[in-house]
Amino acid sequence: QITLKESGPTLVKPTQTLTLTCTFSGFSLSTSGVGVGWIRQPPGKALEWLALIYWDDDKRYSPSLKSRLTITKDTSKNQVVLTMTNMDPVDTATYYCALTPTIFNWFDPWGQGTLVTVSS
Amino acid sequence: NFMLTQPHSVSESPGKTVTISCTGSSGSIASNYVQWYQQRPGSAPTTVIYEDNQRPSGVPDRFSGSIDSSSNSASLTISGLKTEDEADYYCQSYDSSNAVFGGGTQLTVL
């Protein structure tokens, strides 16, 4: 059974850096083709893709947020970490991580998501 | 930037068929696979269609996906609507190796 779970702070202040961890089980991020992505969803709004990291350490970022995002993986710990700098109240959202089993393909399954609120 | 455009909302009666469109802003939507996700309130999205027209195990065959290159759009069709199908639906694809989500469609079954 494949599971993913997001963890990190629920509240961050404006201008701070957000660090989120995705801990997964049931697959290996060293398997060819496999990737883990981050997607967020502001309250009542649409899904927005943020970043992807693949088994070979290839990294992809949303063009609109690229300057603020860093994605890394720790294969031995089965974790993927996303950092987002210079947080703003508009970044308030539920942040999800999800498995992509092959390149340029679907996200499934997803973690339960973690709500991050940006407020002073 | 490449965008996927969906209708904001659709509604239909139980037992009927509904189709949700997802139109690419440029290029060819057929160049990359299109996926469809269902999201119920308070829950994470789940896949109902992947690789344009494939159903994951456990998704009923009332759900189907298609691509229309002439209109540069993908469609999700749900037949025999049930009240449990009421949810938000999102299409997703790729552009230059970056993932892209549509704006979502709220399906009301009434």
Side-chain angles (χ1 to χ4, degrees), chain A residues 38-40 48-51 61-62 65 69 82 84 95:
Chain A
W38 284 94
I39 303 102
R40 72 177 179 181
E48 178 184 20
W49 172 70
L50 301 176
Y61 296 102
S62 166
L65 293 167
L69 296 173
L82 180 76
M84 179 179 291
Y95 287 75

Side-chain angles (χ1 to χ4, degrees), chain A residues 32-104:
Chain A
S32 180
V34 170
V36 170
W38 284 94
I39 303 102
R40 72 177 179 181
Q41 185 174 38
K45 296 189 177 182
L47 300 169
E48 178 184 20
W49 172 70
L50 301 176
L52 254 172
I53 189 165
Y54 288 104
W55 86 103
D56 59 355
D57 210 36
D58 184 21
K59 302 168 186 176
R60 304 289 172 171
Y61 296 102
S62 166
S64 61
L65 293 167
K66 185 174 184 177
S67 63
R68 299 173 54 204
L69 296 173
T70 303
I71 190 169
T72 60
K73 64 180 175 69
D74 186 329
T75 305
S76 64
K77 292 183 178 179
N78 281 353
Q79 290 182 332
V80 171
V81 175
L82 180 76
T83 60
M84 179 179 291
T85 62
N86 194 24
M87 292 293 284
D88 183 272
V90 300
D91 296 313
T92 294
T94 296
Y95 287 75
Y96 297 97
C97 63
L99 164 69
T100 181
T102 59
I103 300 173
F104 303 157

Side-chain angles (χ1 to χ4, degrees), chain B residues 10-41:
Chain B
V10 296
S11 62
E12 190 52 91
S13 303
K16 299 292 189 179
T17 296
V18 70
T19 297
I20 299 171
S21 62
C22 171
T23 303
S25 61
S26 62
S28 173
I29 200 165
S31 297
N32 290 289
Y33 286 129
V34 175
Q35 280 66 238
W36 290 91
Y37 303 95
Q38 177 191 70
Q39 186 180 34
R40 295 193 173 100

